[in-house]
Amino acid sequence: MVLEHWSKKNPTLICRKSENFEIKLRGLPQMANPQDDISQVVILLEANPYFWGERISRAANSAETTGFTFDRFLEHVLLFINSLFLLNQANRVVVIATGATSCAYLYDSQASEVAANARTARAVKKQSVVEKITQKLEDFMSKEAVCDLNQGMEDTRYSLLSGSLSMALCYIQKVLRGAPPHPRPRILCLQGSPDAPPQYVTLPYIAIMNAIFSAQRSLVPIDACLVGDQPSAFLQQATHITGGIYQKPSTPEGLFEYLAMVFATDLYSRKFLQLPGASGVDFRASCFCHKKSIDMGFVCSVCLSIFCKGQRTCTTCNANFAPNKPSATGQKPKAS
């Protein structure tokens, strides 16, 4: 017996009277791949001691009673990780710490899985998120503090985003080249430190842009959630190029709400949602000679450094450029 409760234009609920009841919804999009709602989320955690120490000092000088410290930030992130497992138990999470001088893996859910019953496995997984991340994070922060003493204060002000992005892409390539089925990977950058200023931007700029283009080629979206005061031009370009989400919460205390409502959504469900994106992205590049934003310039064919004026030698890779010679016909040579 078949009972149809709506017209043919609307989804129809069909109940067939048999030993095994079957329920179908007509008119709704069906998932082509059962792995579409399974996510491999690589979280890049802001763990720069200078950034968080500066926030504490500013809160003390301004006589704030409640400041958004690193402990509060970590609580929001741990809640977000647990919510990913609640959405789908098959989701995988990797946490990478982004420091001022180094990066390190803090947690890998796939390596922490226990072959036990479902209830015990969920309890062990939830416990390992808190214990393993906090334990490895303490070791990482202590090493970062030692490295900070050996370097200048200006060098530790900015996080090593290029290193954490490279580590995330290497891990994702390892997963994609493994045995199927493969979850759908994406990268979530939780950054608080500002972008490096012009005097430090030469080498990090090349490394970050190479990582962004590698993610675009691998179809890996890069999401960005800013917990600092300044916007990030690098992450705005990264999210726009790779098709990710860029969001800067208006109040840091509501970070978990932003993470749960915006960044917890899997890639398949994003097709049906109106999610925020970056507006007014500045795609102009900065020249490496005068550190000014330019619309047109000269690019080194070896290292892709950008200059506003023609150079005989690249200041980044020391490549020599041969001067353009006029052709035999007297015409000017074409620009390559």
Side-chain angles (χ1 to χ4, degrees):
M1 182 179 66
V2 178
L3 300 177
E4 296 188 1
H5 298 283
W6 295 285
S7 62
K8 295 182 179 180
K9 296 182 180 180
N10 297 326
T12 303
L13 179 64
I14 300 179
C15 300
R16 296 181 179 178
K17 187 177 181 180
S18 59
E19 295 180 358
N20 298 323
F21 291 96
E22 181 181 3
I23 298 178
K24 295 183 178 180
L25 287 176
R26 293 179 181 173
L28 294 181
Q30 299 296 325
M31 191 174 297
N33 187 356
Q35 299 294 325
D36 283 343
D37 62 339
I38 300 178
S39 302
Q40 170 72 70
V41 185
V42 182
I43 301 175
L44 308 185
L45 188 70
E46 177 63 77
N48 189 341
Y50 182 88
F51 168 75
W52 294 109
E54 187 180 24
R55 292 186 68 94
I56 294 176
S57 61
R58 281 190 304 172
N61 295 332
S62 59
E64 294 181 2
T65 56
T66 58
F68 191 69
T69 60
F70 181 74
D71 295 337
R72 299 295 303 274
F73 169 70
L74 188 60
E75 290 178 4
H76 288 258
V77 175
L78 293 176
L79 289 174
F80 170 67
I81 294 175
N82 288 328
S83 66
L84 291 175
F85 293 133
L86 289 176
L87 289 174
N88 193 328
Q89 194 176 5
N91 284 340
R92 301 177 183 178
V93 177
V94 175
V95 181
I96 300 177
T98 305
T101 59
S102 63
C103 304
Y105 289 100
L106 298 181
Y107 175 73
D108 185 358
S109 62
Q110 187 177 8
S112 303
E113 290 180 354
V114 181
N117 57 69
R119 182 176 302 177
T120 305
R122 285 196 300 268
V124 172
K125 183 180 293 186
K126 182 178 180 181
Q127 183 181 6
S128 64
V129 172
V130 178
E131 291 186 352
K132 289 190 175 182
I133 290 181
T134 53
Q135 181 179 1
K136 291 189 176 181
L137 192 58
E138 289 178 358
D139 299 336
F140 177 80
M141 298 291 276
S142 60
K143 294 179 181 178
E144 278 287 301
V146 174
C147 294
D148 292 347
L149 295 177
N150 299 329
Q151 294 190 3
M153 187 65 69
E154 293 293 333
D155 297 335
T156 60
R157 193 184 295 262
Y158 316 103
S159 298
L160 195 61
L161 179 60
S162 59
S164 58
L165 279 176
S166 302
M167 293 177 64
L169 290 172
C170 290
Y171 181 89
I172 290 174
Q173 287 298 323
K174 177 183 176 182
V175 172
L176 295 179
R177 296 182 183 183
H182 301 139
R184 301 194 62 180
R186 67 179 189 268
I187 300 174
L188 173 59
C189 299
L190 299 176
Q191 183 177 351
S193 302
D195 293 337
Q199 58 266 28
Y200 297 98
V201 80
T202 304
L203 294 178
Y205 173 81
I206 299 175
I208 291 175
M209 294 309 297
N210 286 338
I212 293 174
F213 291 132
S214 298
Q216 181 190 27
R217 185 174 182 179
S218 302
L219 302 179
V220 178
I222 297 178
D223 299 332
C225 183
L226 275 295
V227 296
D229 300 329
Q230 302 180 11
S232 173
F234 285 145
L235 292 180
Q236 284 182 349
Q237 297 184 23
T239 55
H240 189 286
I241 293 174
T242 61
I245 302 173
Y246 180 89
Q247 185 70 27
K248 187 179 183 303
S250 56
T251 55
E253 293 295 337
L255 176 62
F256 173 70
E257 283 75 10
Y258 285 93
L259 294 176
M261 299 299 296
V262 178
F263 297 99
T265 311
D266 59 83
L267 299 181
Y268 179 79
S269 302
R270 292 185 182 185
K271 302 177 182 178
F272 313 102
L273 300 176
Q274 188 70 28
L275 297 174
S279 59
V281 183
D282 188 6
F283 289 101
R284 293 184 302 170
S286 299
C287 65
F288 289 6
C289 47
H290 300 90
K291 316 303 179 185
K292 297 180 180 179
S293 298
I294 57 176
D295 297 323
M296 298 182 63
F298 298 85
V299 180
C300 175
S301 59
V302 178
C303 66
L304 302 181
S305 298
I306 304 171
F307 303 97
C308 60
K309 297 180 180 180
Q311 304 285 335
R312 291 185 176 272
T313 304
C314 178
T315 57
T316 303
C317 64
N318 296 325
N320 295 322
F321 305 131
N324 292 333
K325 298 180 180 180
S327 60
T329 59
Q331 296 180 354
K332 294 182 179 180
K334 295 182 180 180
S336 57

